[in-house]
Amino acid sequence: MLARAKPEFAIPEVCRNFVNGQWVISSVRLPVINPVDEQVLTEIAEADTGLVDEAVRAARLTFEQGVWSKLGLEDRQKVLFRIADLIDEHADELAWLESMNIGSPLSQCRGRHVPRAAYNFRFFAEYISQSRSDAYTQLENYLSVVTREPVGVAALIGPWNAPIALTSMKIAAALAFGNSCVVKPSEISPLTAVRMVELIRDSGVPDGVVNLVNGSGTVTGAALASHPDIDVLSFTGGTTTGRAIMSAAGKNLTPVTLELGGKSANIIFDDADFDRALDGALISIFSNNGQQCLAGSRILLQEGIAEKFMDAFIQRTRNLKIGDPLLPETEVGPLATKQHFERVHSFVDTLEADGCKLLVGGKRCSGFDKGFYYEPTAVLAPDNSAVVCQEEIFGPFAAFQLFKTPQEAWDIANDSKFGLLGYVWTSSYATAMAAHETVKSGVLCINSPIIRELRAPFGGYKESGVGRESGAACEAFYSEVKTTAFLTGDVPLRKLGLGEA
């Protein structure tokens, strides 16, 4: 096993809160468990209602003072670019922290998650320089100008499965449009958020503009979501939690964006490029240890290639390198928590009643005395009503189904309470266009695993979320539209109250 200590990197003994430029300790501590050895990795100092209120008030004060909200666009750009540069400079450290915290392979954290975080800040720095305003002159004697202003204080609640990539997207967007914010990372994975906030401070963002509160969803998250002085709230996580957050925010009429769960169909036709579709299916379900909302967890196979594809998929699955996520050859690491491990395994208990056949996996990995290691798993389901085809498992757990016709594939794909992503593999332009017109998902990938184009909206249909994230979607969410009408000509006004008949 690779030694897990890294003398050049440090894990804080306690993940503190960052409020108005000061690191703040609280008395309530929650342990953060290392998913590899099940030992306490660090603790978080939980922010209670009072500390959350202090963080919101600090964000409000800085917003009203204009230390960031009224800063010139070019000056804001320079800071955002500096944040990106600092993330790049500390990429090895951030990737190590992320891997230690959530068990995702270090190669994936270093190759995808951390570069994406830096790119988020660069993207929005560039985006704001291209923003434009509208002017209307059609109404005679008037010029109507449409401008945008920062909305105020943003509550940003990040997920545990890819914390640096997804939480940085929210921070970058909120800052780009001039807002102050309060960030709450997941209590499961606080390490990279804490370090990123340190880098944001070092970049020159004024104290109080970015605040961080740690804690559980039931305490810290609830206090933040229900706070009356939050102007907008963005959350990425599970659908059940999303409902609770939307309900709490709704009492204050706080606008929300919610990126929630998925049960994406990965549809593979007989005429697909077999090897590419196989690679794509493995990537879509086993990347990040299967802990991703965009996983292609329902693999729909046209009957002509079904047996060959499943055989190849099972063989490749058995060959996956499972181990310490810090090892460069590791492809799948442990699940993030014991509770999540038990939840993933619980779906095996549903297979017999639903008539599903276990093809590979379905149990704890052998050879590991410690750690939440779960075998990459695949089952064959008789139809889409099986629990493993309807519920988001959020682990390395694929469910195969067979279909004959394109229409049958579309019907299966759309028979879900989720609608985040869809994947289609075919060499037929007509089939690809039919998928585009028929599959009910916020994002659809043709002959490719997920690709995130930040200029294009990302979000889901149905229970997969509310709202979208992208350059334009974030601009609309994190800013207010103002229309100002200027009188440009002589327009007589009615004279009231003169007493004339």
Side-chain angles (χ1 to χ4, degrees), residues 193-473:
V194 169
R195 188 68 180 103
M196 183 166 54
V197 166
E198 290 179 336
L199 298 178
I200 289 172
R201 176 199 59 192
D202 294 344
S203 73
V205 174
D207 290 346
V209 173
V210 176
N211 305 273
L212 181 140
V213 290
N214 281 300
S216 64
T218 54
V219 175
T220 312
L224 189 58
S226 61
H227 200 287
D229 205 24
I230 293 295
D231 294 300
V232 291
L233 185 152
S234 178
F235 168 76
T236 298
T239 299
T240 300
T241 305
R243 282 196 180 95
I245 286 173
M246 190 172 188
S247 176
K251 293 176 182 177
N252 298 315
L253 297 180
T254 304
V256 299
T257 58
L258 306 175
E259 184 188 326
L260 306 177
K263 193 67 182 176
S264 302
N266 188 7
I267 307 170
I268 302 169
F269 286 88
D270 290 349
D271 62 0
D273 181 323
F274 185 92
D275 292 333
R276 186 171 176 82
L278 178 61
D279 288 338
L282 291 160
I283 291 169
S284 293
I285 188 58
F286 295 136
S287 291
N288 208 39
N289 305 340
Q291 297 170 144
Q292 47 187 357
C293 58
L294 46 81
S297 53
R298 290 187 295 154
I299 305 176
L300 313 185
L301 302 174
Q302 200 162 23
E303 289 183 345
I305 61 162
E307 184 174 354
K308 178 183 176 183
F309 193 95
M310 285 189 288
D311 288 345
F313 185 96
I314 292 167
Q315 184 59 47
R316 293 274 293 273
T317 299
R318 288 179 173 144
N319 289 339
L320 287 169
K321 292 181 172 58
I322 303 167
D324 187 328
L326 297 186
L327 288 167
E329 65 268 24
T330 295
E331 296 173 309
V332 178
L335 298 178
T337 67
K338 180 180 180 180
Q339 181 183 20
H340 188 54
F341 176 96
E342 292 172 347
R343 181 182 181 277
V344 170
H345 184 59
S346 71
F347 286 93
V348 174
D349 297 335
T350 71
L351 299 181
E352 183 176 355
D354 287 342
C356 297
K357 179 182 179 182
L358 181 64
L359 302 176
V360 64
K363 62 183 185 297
R364 173 184 286 276
C365 289
S366 61
F368 296 92
D369 296 331
K370 292 286 186 179
F372 310 124
Y373 288 94
Y374 197 80
E375 286 189 351
T377 299
V379 305
L380 176 62
D383 57 60
N384 200 51
S385 65
V387 171
V388 293
C389 297
Q390 289 295 321
E391 297 300 322
E392 183 180 38
I393 301 174
F394 214 70
F397 200 124
F400 286 104
Q401 294 180 69
L402 309 187
F403 69 90
K404 294 179 181 178
T405 66
Q407 186 58 55
E408 185 180 357
W410 313 146
D411 290 343
I412 296 172
N414 292 334
D415 179 24
S416 174
K417 61 186 176 184
F418 299 107
L420 185 57
L421 271 97
Y423 303 90
V424 175
W425 302 83
T426 179
S427 61
S428 166
Y429 178 80
T431 302
M433 284 303 299
H436 164 69
E437 295 171 356
T438 310
V439 175
K440 294 186 172 86
S441 65
V443 179
L444 183 64
C445 296
I446 307 294
N447 294 327
S448 174
I450 181 62
I451 178 71
R452 185 74 183 266
E453 167 57 81
L454 295 192
R455 297 162 192 82
F458 183 88
Y461 291 10
K462 298 183 274 189
E463 292 188 17
S464 285
V466 175
R468 297 292 186 269
E469 286 187 335
S470 70

Side-chain angles (χ1 to χ4, degrees), residues 1-5 34 36-37 96 99-100 103-107 321-334 368 373:
M1 297 288 284
L2 184 68
R4 303 189 64 74
N34 187 329
V36 169
D37 59 17
W96 181 79
S99 183
M100 289 287 288
S104 186
L106 179 63
S107 59
K321 292 181 172 58
I322 303 167
D324 187 328
L326 297 186
L327 288 167
E329 65 268 24
T330 295
E331 296 173 309
V332 178
F368 296 92
Y373 288 94

